[in-house]
């Protein structure tokens, strides 16, 4: 970082100027500020204004301290493969990397073959310490990736479509043949989520403690794992999709989101990967020649695509959202890759395929430094309990899931509560009726399980679901009728009360 100055034939190295240091710290500072602060000038409440001023100052000082620590005290720096001359990074094989890396890194290269139980899907904890893997034939396993020890293994004896960890390695959810189930670390079944139906994919939103699932009928549901509340459809607080995008002229085979939340990668059957800017909802790059069945972004922004028995990694090294080939890897011929996933805080890509799973090295894919307050691969049981309590206290409400994340932290102007439109009320009413239709009725004894009785029971359930909406509608109609009566002609009073009526002043 020094500057060279020639004087009298000798080179003198000068320290960086304060302006250069300030510019570099400002760049790092924006990373920790996470958006602009609240506009306090618009506030009229002096007490609230003073409290928010103190908080904004505290956040600013914390961000400055974090930026300085990152500059001077971070123990490691990330790096990528660099080719010399006519060499290409995507031509470098895994066996060549093995000969150059250290012993600990070389242990991350392996293949697990389980012929009769695949294809496999997998998931990692936020710290990257534990991996959950599940085979389509019912095999479920939890593995400690640091020591490569098998923590738990079980056979659920039915089809498994997906597996995902919840807030830590103590709990995980499995999408089985009919319903998703939640298990603890010992493999004990805790919950059966029957209202979700036959789920195809699962994802856990750790900041909101929401388990999102989508079933074979296209129904997206959010399950609050702290309270057990269920909210259907696209956003936890809305029954209608927020955005509909025509991404490809045909079915979409894979989706992935960048860690910064601004980019999305999609792949369609027309063999094209598209990179989307979600702030403008437009394509920034189209990469032809790929029919990926699975996509995944790494912590540093590398994009992995799995097609058949070949996995390719793309990288944006210029910072202009222009992805190019970085590395590639072929597994055994005939193996079909079902899912690719980068391991957090490690330069490792794991592929779940039809015969098990494989792990390869991808230099520069993982974050080199971990924050123990966010994700600690070496946390003890006491630290895990403490973190779980803090996570529950810091849990974000579902209303914070929105298209514009910059709204979080701003002040909402005071305005009267808007009434929902007729279309929104009808959508909520239909959603309530549909949820009742999916409820399975208990089978009664002979004579009490006739089709007519089952139809009547279903009708009663539907009427109960409609009742709150009908009562609300009648109440609104009663209010409107009362206003019309008040605005109409005066009601005729009895003769005994007419003398108490106030007489109008003479003109």
């Amino acid at each position: 970082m020094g500057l060279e100055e020639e004087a009298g034939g000798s080179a003198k190295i000068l320290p960086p100027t304060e302006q250069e240091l300030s510019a570099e710290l400002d760049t790092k500072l924006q990373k920790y500020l996470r958006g602009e602060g609240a506009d306090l000038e618009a506030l009229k409440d002096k007490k609230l204004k003073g409290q928010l001023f103190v908080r904004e100052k505290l956040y600013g000082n914390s961000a400055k301290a974090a930026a300085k620590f990152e500059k001077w005290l971070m123990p490691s720096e990330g790096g990528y493969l660099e080719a010399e001359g006519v060499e290409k990074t995507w031509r470098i094989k895994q066996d060549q990397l093995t000969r150059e890396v250290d012993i600990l890194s070389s242990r991350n290269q392996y293949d697990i073959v389980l012929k009769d139980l695949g294809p496999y899907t997998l998931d990692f904890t936020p710290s990257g310490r534990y991996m959950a893997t599940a085979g389509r034939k019912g095999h479920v396993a939890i593995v400690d990736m640091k020591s490569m020890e098998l923590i738990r293994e079980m056979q659920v004896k039915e089809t498994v479509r997906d597996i995902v960890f919840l807030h830590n390695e103590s709990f995980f959810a499995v999408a089985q043949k009919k319903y998703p189930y939640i298990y603890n670390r010992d493999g004990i079944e805790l919950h059966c989520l029957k209202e979700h139906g036959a789920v195809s994919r699962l994802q856990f939103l750790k900041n909101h403690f929401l388990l999102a699932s989508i079933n074979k009928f296209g129904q997206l549901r959010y399950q609050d794992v702290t309270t057990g509340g269920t909210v259907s459809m696209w956003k936890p607080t809305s029954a209608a999709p927020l955005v509909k995008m025509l991404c490809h002229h045909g079915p979409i085979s894979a989706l992935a989101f960048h860690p910064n939340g601004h980019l999305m990668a999609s792949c369609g059957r027309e063999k094209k990967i598209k990179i989307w800017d979600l702030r403008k909802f437009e394509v920034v790059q189209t990469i032809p020649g790929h029919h990926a069945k699975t996509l995944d972004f790494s912590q540093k922004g590398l994009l992995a695509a799995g097609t058949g028995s070949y996995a390719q990694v793309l990288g944006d090294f210029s910072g202009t959202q222009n992805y190019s080939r970085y590395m590639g890897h072929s597994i055994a011929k005939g193996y079909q890759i079902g899912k690719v996933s980068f391991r957090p805080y490690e330069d490792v890509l794991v592929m779940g395929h039809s015969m098990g799973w494989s792990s390869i090295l991808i230099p520069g894919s993982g974050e080199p430094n971990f924050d123990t307050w966010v994700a600690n691969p070496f946390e003890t049981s006491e630290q895990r309990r403490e973190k779980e309590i803090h996570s529950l206290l810091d849990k974000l409400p579902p209303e914070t899931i929105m298209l514009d994340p910059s709204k979080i932290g701003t002040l909402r102007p005071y305005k009267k509560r808007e009434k929902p439109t007729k279309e929104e009320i009808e959508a909520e009413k239909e959603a309530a009726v549909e949820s009742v239709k999916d409820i399975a009725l208990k089978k009664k004894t002979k004579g009490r399980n006739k089709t007519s009785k089952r139809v009547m029971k279903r009708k009663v359930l539907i009427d109960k679901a409609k009742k709150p909406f009908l009562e609300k509608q009648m109440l609104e109609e009663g209010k409107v009728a009362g206003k019309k009566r008040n605005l109409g002609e005066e009601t005729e009073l009895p003769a005994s009360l007419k003398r108490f009526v106030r007489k109008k002043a003479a003109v």
Side-chain angles (χ1 to χ4, degrees), residues 88 93 108 118 135-136 145 151 167 171 185 189 222 254 275 295 297 311 318 368 373 485 490:
K88 301 294 183 182
K93 304 297 182 184
N108 290 320
R136 184 61 62 89
M145 302 301 290
I151 303 298
H167 54 282
F171 304 95
R185 184 171 175 166
E189 180 187 324
Y222 294 87
I275 310 296
L295 296 170
F297 277 103
S318 60
W373 293 101
R485 283 198 300 270
E490 293 183 358

Side-chain angles (χ1 to χ4, degrees), residues 184-414:
N184 66 3
R185 184 171 175 166
D186 298 324
I188 299 172
E189 180 187 324
L190 302 179
H191 300 286
C192 175
L193 309 177
K194 292 186 177 181
E195 64 273 14
H196 289 244
V199 169
S200 302
R201 289 288 182 270
L202 292 169
Q203 187 172 1
F204 184 71
L205 310 180
K206 62 178 183 179
N207 292 329
H208 307 270
F209 278 77
L210 292 177
L211 177 63
S213 69
I214 185 165
N215 60 24
K216 61 182 181 181
F217 302 110
Q219 294 173 328
L220 178 65
R221 296 178 184 272
Y222 294 87
Q223 180 84 33
D224 191 329
V225 298
T226 60
T227 61
T230 304
V231 187
S232 302
M233 298 299 142
W234 310 105
K235 180 185 173 185
T237 55
S238 174
L242 300 179
V243 175
K244 286 186 178 181
M245 298 169 59
L246 180 61
C247 297
H248 298 270
H249 297 289
I252 295 174
S253 57
L255 277 176
F257 293 89
H258 196 283
N260 63 16
H262 298 156
L263 295 180
M264 180 185 75
S266 65
C267 185
R269 294 291 176 87
E270 76 275 22
K271 297 185 178 181
K272 290 181 181 178
I273 293 179
K274 294 184 179 181
I275 310 296
W276 298 82
D277 189 336
L278 296 179
R279 293 167 294 185
K280 306 183 220 178
F281 300 107
E282 63 181 27
V283 180
V284 295
Q285 185 184 4
T286 301
I287 308 169
H290 295 270
H291 182 200
K293 292 183 179 179
T294 173
L295 296 170
D296 189 40
F297 277 103
S298 74
Q299 289 178 314
K300 302 298 286 185
L302 298 181
L303 176 62
T307 307
S309 59
Y310 185 72
Q312 188 168 12
V313 180
L314 310 171
D316 173 25
F317 305 106
S318 60
T320 58
Q321 298 175 356
N322 184 22
Y323 280 79
S324 58
R325 294 174 71 179
Y326 176 50
M327 292 188 71
H329 178 71
S330 294
I331 58 178
K333 190 175 181 181
Y335 290 12
Q336 297 295 311
I337 297 176
K339 186 173 183 178
V340 294
S341 182
F342 285 99
R343 183 178 165 191
Y345 303 101
E346 295 285 351
D347 294 343
V348 174
L349 175 67
V350 181
M351 300 167 289
H353 49 75
S354 55
M355 294 294 181
W357 66 89
S358 301
S359 176
I360 61 174
L361 295 176
I362 305 295
S365 62
E367 179 67 39
N369 303 290
F370 60 87
D371 187 347
T372 55
W373 293 101
V374 177
N376 184 7
F378 307 100
E379 68 182 0
T380 62
S381 57
E382 184 178 349
Q383 289 173 333
R384 184 176 66 246
R385 288 194 298 268
E386 190 74 16
K387 182 183 175 183
E388 189 171 358
I389 294 171
H390 281 286
S391 300
L392 287 169
L393 293 173
D394 296 336
K395 172 189 166 186
L396 297 177
E399 291 78 12
T400 57
I401 299 177
M402 56 184 66
L403 287 176
D404 186 9
S406 62
K407 288 185 178 180
I408 299 176
T410 58
L411 298 173
R412 182 174 60 184
Y414 175 77

Side-chain angles (χ1 to χ4, degrees), residues 114-132:
L114 300 168
K115 295 182 180 179
D116 302 327
L117 301 173
Y120 274 81
T121 184
L122 48 96
D123 187 48
F124 289 99
T125 56
S127 65
R129 173 71 182 269
Y130 298 93
M131 180 182 75

Side-chain angles (χ1 to χ4, degrees), residues 455-472:
V455 171
M456 288 297 296
K457 288 178 183 178
R458 185 77 66 185
K459 186 179 179 182
V460 170
L461 290 175
I462 292 174
D463 291 340
K464 282 184 179 179
K466 289 181 178 180
K467 188 176 180 180
F469 298 95
L470 295 175
E471 289 178 349
K472 190 174 182 180

Side-chain angles (χ1 to χ4, degrees), residues 100-150:
E100 302 297 333
V101 299
D102 57 278
I103 296 175
L104 290 176
S105 298
S106 63
R107 291 178 181 174
N108 290 320
Q109 285 181 317
Y110 58 86
D111 294 291
I112 304 295
V113 179
L114 300 168
K115 295 182 180 179
D116 302 327
L117 301 173
Y120 274 81
T121 184
L122 48 96
D123 187 48
F124 289 99
T125 56
S127 65
R129 173 71 182 269
Y130 298 93
M131 180 182 75
T133 182
R136 184 61 62 89
K137 304 291 179 61
H139 178 232
V140 176
I142 307 296
V143 183
D144 186 339
M145 302 301 290
K146 288 292 182 184
S147 60
M148 292 305 295
E149 292 181 359
L150 187 63

